């Protein structure tokens, strides 16, 4: 694994270009529609998981409520395109902004909270959003949902096949990755990571942790909203049941398996989880047991995820154990 | 009234415990000011009050004649108060260079827009952070550790990294909580030389130290705390000659109580 990583690190731009060319070309080789739909799911969940990773992996605020932001994006799209006939692209932006605003609002009560308390608030918020979608019948269609969501067009070109959506999801994933890469490798990303690593120290260096956390939340929510918007026009029918806590945990499982705090982790997580979903379809609901087992195994043996650095804070428990073994009681004697 | 950092009758109580009780202090620009006192004397608590982690129960803290008693920790950092912690608070899983780069946070102003579009501000800030960090590391003699994970360094080096990280923010006053704790004799002497060198370049330093010899060699002014109260303040010679200090320091805690009783010198 480390050898592969070193190789990839050395030829990063080459590898990225190759991966992108591959992603563009390979679906053209006559896959079945059902297969292309799986590729769409993988890309869609990559951006969803990637955006959750921005909050959970980079600023260390463990949010469990990502499905809520995804839900808002989908409903903004469904409502504005069916009721008001506004065209797809401006609404897509509104889907993102709507989710980002919700992210900002939810982040306020979480500012003073940490760990499990923060997670519970986000979990609750996600459910509140879903229940509003279920019960505000006049606007959301209640349990009937919203159907006949129009297909988006782009200069006379209509997105009407899974393959075309594949390229839409791919485009969004690439833009998401590029923008996130730039943020992470800047003062903004460093301030997020400083909060994850040690909030007390971050403050002592003048990092304004409250606004930094709020922007972090809003940014992650924004992309969940964007994906929600595309999801709505992709399946053309949405109802609140899709955006349950299960969906939130599903997204979460991808970043746990792929690796939090790395940009590549969510891709791997999305491929593994969606791939398993298909492979394990024959065993029905038992596959959820498999996921649970996989997550437990990952947390135990590789808490930093498949792609995570073995020296990240997420692998912290293991490092501490190793260190304690190496230096013996020396540290104790000092402090 | 002046002084760079000044406290007036600062108290910090935890329930019935008077961790800091009525302390007046005035640090002048250019000082290396030492705070000493036995374990549990309230030194760290006093630091935490000065840097905004705790609010004073009574009294005021002024920095550059501005009342900072009720300001947030971040706001106080922004005014130019840099500090380290008694138990080092490094970003353990980041490299030394990354640690120090976060120290450049206040010296840069890239926002999300700048970062996404790689604006001029972004490019200038990245260059500044890189250069300032490397320069700070070089001055602190930590260059060779730039790419080492902070958590993998020896205790003494970690303390030095924490100082360098704070220095990267160009603080007006550098507050160090027991910087020599856990260092061996060699490292301690090197640290003392480093601090003196910094001070000669104009850096004001306020430090807490347990090691009497270190403080006597390093500081130009010393304040002694015992049971939360200031029992003595003055030059190293004055303080080391003071009877009460000697009882407080070398006597047992019961002796300390007697000192407390007639502390109003
Ligand atoms: N957060 C806190 N809550 C309660 N008591 C505290 C707290 N912080 C410090 N103390 C108490 O205040 C006293 C002074 O502690 P401290 O400032 O750490 O002393 P020093 O740094 O001089 O060794 C000690 O008795 C300590 O137990
Ligand atoms: Mg202390």
């Amino acid at each position: 694994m480390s050898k592969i990583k070193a190789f990839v690190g050395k030829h990063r731009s080459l590898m990225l270009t190759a991966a992108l060319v591959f992603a563009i070309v390979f679906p053209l080789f006559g896959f079945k529609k059902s297969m292309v739909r799986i590729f769409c799911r993988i890309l869609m969940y990559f951006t969803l998981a990637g955006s959750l990773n921005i909050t959970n992996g980079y600023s260390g605020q463990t949010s469990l409520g990502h499905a809520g932001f995804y839900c808002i994006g989908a409903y903004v799209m469904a409502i504005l395109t069916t009721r008001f006939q506004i065209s797809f692209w401006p609404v897509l932006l509104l889907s993102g902004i709507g989710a980002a605003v919700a992210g900002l609002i939810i982040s306020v009560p979480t500012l003073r909270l940490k760990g499990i308390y923060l997670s519970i608030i986000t979990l609750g918020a996600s459910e509140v959003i879903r229940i509003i979608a279920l019960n505000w019948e006049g606007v959301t269609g209640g349990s009937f949902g919203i159907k006949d969501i129009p297909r988006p067009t782009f200069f006379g070109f209509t997105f009407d096949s899974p393959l075309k959506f594949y390229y839409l999801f791919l485009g969004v994933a690439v833009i998401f990755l590029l923008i996130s890469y730039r943020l992470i490798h800047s003062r903004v990303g460093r301030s997020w990571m400083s909060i994850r690593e040690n909030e007390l120290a971050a403050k002592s260096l003048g990092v304004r942790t409250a606004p930094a956390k709020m922007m972090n939340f809003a940014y992650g929510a924004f992309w969940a909203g964007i994906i929600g918007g595309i999801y709505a026009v992709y399946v053309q029918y949405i109802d609140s049941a899709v955006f349950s806590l299960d969906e939130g945990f599903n997204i979460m499982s991808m970043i746990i398996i792929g690796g939090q705090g790395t940009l590549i982790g969510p891709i791997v997580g999305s491929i593994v989880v969606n791939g398993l979903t298909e492979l394990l379809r024959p065993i029905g609901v038992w596959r959820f047991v498999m996921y649970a087992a996989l997550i437990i195994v990952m947390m135990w043996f590789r808490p930093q995820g498949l792609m995570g650095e073995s020296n990240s804070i997420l692998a912290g428990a293991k490092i501490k154990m190793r260190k304690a073994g190496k230096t013996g009681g020396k540290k104790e004697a000092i402090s | 009234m002046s002084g760079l950092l000044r406290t007036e009758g600062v108290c910090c109580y935890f329930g019935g415990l008077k961790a800091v009780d009525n302390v007046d202090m005035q640090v002048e620009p250019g000082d290396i000011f030492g705070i000493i006192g036995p374990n549990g004397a309230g030194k760290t608590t006093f630091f935490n009050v000065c840097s905004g982690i705790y609010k004073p129960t009574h009294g005021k803290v002024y920095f550059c004649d501005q009342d900072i008693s009720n300001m947030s920790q971040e706001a106080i950092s922004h005014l130019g108060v840099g500090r380290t912690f008694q138990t080092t608070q490094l970003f353990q899983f980041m490299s030394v260079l990354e640690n120090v780069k976060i120290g450049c946070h206040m010296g840069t102003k890239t926002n999300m827009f700048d970062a996404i579009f790689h604006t001029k501000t972004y490019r200038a800030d990245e260059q500044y952070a890189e250069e300032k960090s490397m320069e700070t590391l070089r001055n602190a003699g930590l260059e060779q550790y730039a790419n080492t994970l902070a958590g993998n360094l020896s205790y003494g080096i970690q303390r030095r990294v924490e100082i360098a990280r704070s220095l990267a923010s160009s603080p007006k006053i550098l507050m160090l909580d027991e910087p020599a704790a856990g260092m061996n004799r060699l490292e301690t002497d090197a640290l003392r030389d480093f601090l003196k060198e910094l001070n000669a370049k104009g850096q004001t330093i306020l430090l807490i130290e347990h090691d009497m010899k270190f403080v006597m060699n390093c500081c130009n002014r010393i304040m002694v705390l015992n049971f939360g109260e200031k029992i003595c303040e003055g030059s190293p010679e004055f303080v080391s000659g003071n009877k009460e200090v000697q009882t407080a320091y070398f006597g047992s805690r019961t002796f300390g109580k007697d000192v407390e009783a007639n502390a109003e010198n």
Side-chain angles (χ1 to χ4, degrees):
Chain A
M1 185 63 98
S2 60
K3 257 186 205 157
I4 301 174
K5 236 183 247 166
F7 179 79
V8 173
K10 228 185 247 167
H11 307 277
R12 196 197 260 133
S13 52
L14 187 74
M15 298 294 287
L16 280 176
T17 318
L20 186 60
V21 169
F22 176 74
I24 291 172
V25 173
F26 94 92
L28 297 173
F29 289 93
F31 286 100
K32 273 190 291 188
K33 266 203 173 138
S34 60
M35 202 64 194
V36 179
R37 285 208 183 91
I38 297 170
F39 301 151
C40 283
R41 279 180 70 86
I42 288 176
L43 283 176
M44 179 180 114
Y45 277 105
F46 158 59
T47 310
L48 264 181
S51 61
L52 178 65
N53 181 37
I54 297 289
T55 19
N56 291 24
Y58 284 98
S59 81
Q61 315 292 302
T62 306
S63 160
L64 296 177
H66 219 51
F69 305 131
Y70 174 40
C71 178
I72 288 175
Y75 271 96
V76 166
M77 177 62 76
I79 293 165
L80 293 184
T81 53
T82 56
R83 298 272 176 95
F84 302 94
Q85 277 83 40
I86 309 175
S87 74
F88 172 76
W89 299 99
V91 177
L92 185 60
L93 200 61
L94 289 178
S95 291
I97 292 171
V101 170
L104 272 185
I105 294 169
I106 291 167
S107 72
V108 173
T110 64
L111 288 176
R112 303 183 136 263
L113 302 175
K114 272 202 182 106
I116 188 85
Y117 303 102
L118 182 143
S119 304
I120 288 169
I121 296 254
T122 57
L123 197 79
S126 171
E127 271 302 85
V128 167
I129 291 168
R130 186 185 66 83
I131 289 165
I132 291 174
L134 178 63
N135 291 295
W136 196 9
E137 289 181 11
V139 177
T140 63
S143 54
F144 295 107
I146 299 176
K147 55 183 193 307
D148 298 329
I149 303 167
R151 295 285 195 197
T153 56
F154 188 66
F155 294 114
F157 170 93
T158 308
F159 288 88
D160 55 3
S161 72
L163 188 64
K164 288 173 186 170
F165 270 101
Y166 173 86
Y167 288 108
L168 182 57
F169 280 123
L170 181 63
V172 169
V174 169
I175 295 171
F176 163 73
L177 203 56
L178 182 74
I179 293 182
S180 299
Y181 179 87
R182 288 190 163 193
L183 284 175
I184 297 307
H185 294 269
S186 76
R187 172 179 185 263
V188 178
R190 287 195 291 270
S191 67
W192 290 345
M193 289 184 273
S194 72
I195 293 171
R196 174 189 74 193
E197 298 281 320
N198 190 329
E199 202 166 339
L200 181 66
K203 284 183 179 174
S204 82
L205 298 169
V207 175
R208 295 199 159 95
T209 54
K213 284 184 197 173
M214 288 172 72
M215 291 312 286
N216 178 275
F217 241 93
Y219 177 75
F222 175 84
W223 286 102
I226 293 279
I227 289 297
I230 302 177
Y231 174 77
V233 296
Y234 175 52
V235 295
Q236 296 193 285
Y237 165 77
I238 58 164
D239 77 82
S240 60
V242 176
F243 309 101
S244 61
L245 290 181
D246 286 353
E247 182 64 5
F249 287 123
N250 187 30
I251 302 168
M252 177 102 175
S253 70
M254 294 180 200
I255 63 171
I256 291 175
I257 290 167
Q260 302 182 54
T262 66
L263 285 171
I264 207 83
I267 303 183
V268 175
S270 176
I271 293 173
V272 170
V273 173
N274 286 301
L276 278 181
T277 307
E278 296 310 317
L279 288 177
L280 299 179
R281 221 170 256 293
I283 63 169
V285 288
W286 286 102
R287 66 177 189 270
F288 296 113
V289 178
M290 295 286 289
Y291 292 156
L294 184 61
I295 290 175
I296 292 169
V297 169
M298 286 299 295
M299 298 281 246
W300 189 259
F301 289 104
R302 207 172 156 81
Q304 74 273 34
L306 286 173
M307 302 310 291
E309 298 287 339
S310 54
N311 56 23
S312 90
I313 195 167
L314 301 158
K318 291 190 88 174
I319 287 198
K320 275 189 203 125
M321 280 192 292
R322 232 180 292 139
K323 255 194 172 164
K326 229 192 286 173
T327 52
K330 208 165 143 203
K331 274 214 158 164
E332 231 118 76
I334 288 165
S335 60
Chain B
M1 294 313 256
S2 69
L4 189 60
L5 180 66
R6 190 172 85 243
T7 67
E8 286 176 3
V10 159
C11 305
C12 186
Y13 303 158
F14 298 110
L17 177 78
K18 297 182 171 182
V20 174
D21 197 12
N22 199 22
V23 173
D24 294 325
M25 177 194 73
Q26 182 158 331
V27 180
E28 301 292 343
D31 273 349
I32 303 192
F33 195 107
I35 300 178
I36 58 172
N39 248 331
K43 307 180 294 293
T44 299
T45 307
F46 181 67
F47 252 40
N48 287 344
V49 171
C50 291
S51 56
I53 294 176
Y54 297 146
K55 306 290 168 236
T57 315
H58 301 293
K60 298 260 181 234
V61 184
Y62 297 90
F63 185 68
C64 299
D65 282 325
Q66 185 179 355
D67 184 356
I68 60 167
S69 318
N70 287 307
M71 276 192 184
S72 72
Q73 208 190 326
E74 299 99 299
I76 292 173
S77 308
H78 274 263
L79 292 176
V81 178
R83 70 164 292 177
T84 66
F85 297 86
Q86 184 168 351
T87 42
T88 46
Q89 302 287 336
L90 284 175
F91 306 120
Q92 296 241 337
F93 299 101
M94 292 186 177
S95 73
V96 168
L97 180 62
E98 285 169 322
N99 265 275
V100 180
K101 270 192 178 175
I102 294 168
C104 298
H105 186 85
M106 289 188 283
T108 51
K109 49 185 183 301
T110 298
N111 57 27
M112 287 177 85
F113 179 87
D114 294 316
I116 293 171
F117 295 102
H118 279 192
T119 62
K120 244 190 204 154
T121 312
Y122 165 84
R123 277 173 280 142
D125 280 353
E126 286 305 296
Q127 192 184 349
Y128 171 83
E130 183 76 29
E131 283 170 7
K132 175 84 185 176
S133 303
M134 285 315 290
E135 184 198 319
T136 311
L137 287 180
R138 219 173 299 128
N139 291 342
L142 293 167
E143 218 177 353
Q144 72 266 37
Y145 303 113
N147 295 313
T148 314
L149 273 197
N152 288 347
L153 294 167
S154 78
Y155 209 70
I157 304 286
Q158 286 197 20
R159 288 214 169 268
R160 205 176 247 258
V161 171
E162 202 186 17
I163 296 172
R165 186 179 67 181
S166 182
L167 281 173
S169 68
S170 313
K172 291 193 182 120
I173 187 167
L174 178 64
M175 297 172 45
L176 309 174
D177 196 345
E178 302 202 15
M183 287 188 173
N184 59 35
R185 198 71 242 168
L186 228 62
E187 286 174 319
T188 306
D189 288 346
L191 177 73
R192 188 197 55 218
D193 294 341
F194 175 57
L195 294 182
K196 280 188 155 171
E197 205 179 294
L198 271 178
N199 183 250
K201 287 187 215 154
Q203 178 71 55
T204 310
I205 298 171
L206 173 63
L207 64 88
I208 292 174
E209 195 40 76
H210 228 66
D211 183 342
M212 267 291 208
K213 201 170 144 223
F214 185 91
V215 181
M216 294 298 162
N217 276 327
C218 200
C219 300
N220 67 330
R221 208 168 166 78
I222 292 169
M223 169 169 95
V224 190
L225 292 183
N226 194 25
F227 291 103
E229 289 185 60
K230 178 161 105 176
I231 55 170
C232 176
E233 185 186 337
S235 65
E237 299 76 34
F238 177 78
V239 168
S240 57
N242 186 299
K243 281 260 159 54
E244 289 159 14
V245 175
Q246 294 190 341
T247 344
Y249 233 74
F250 303 111
S252 69
R253 290 223 165 175
T254 28
F255 281 115
K257 275 251 159 63
D258 298 333
V259 173
E260 198 185 12
N262 50 35
E264 309 296 331
N265 50 355

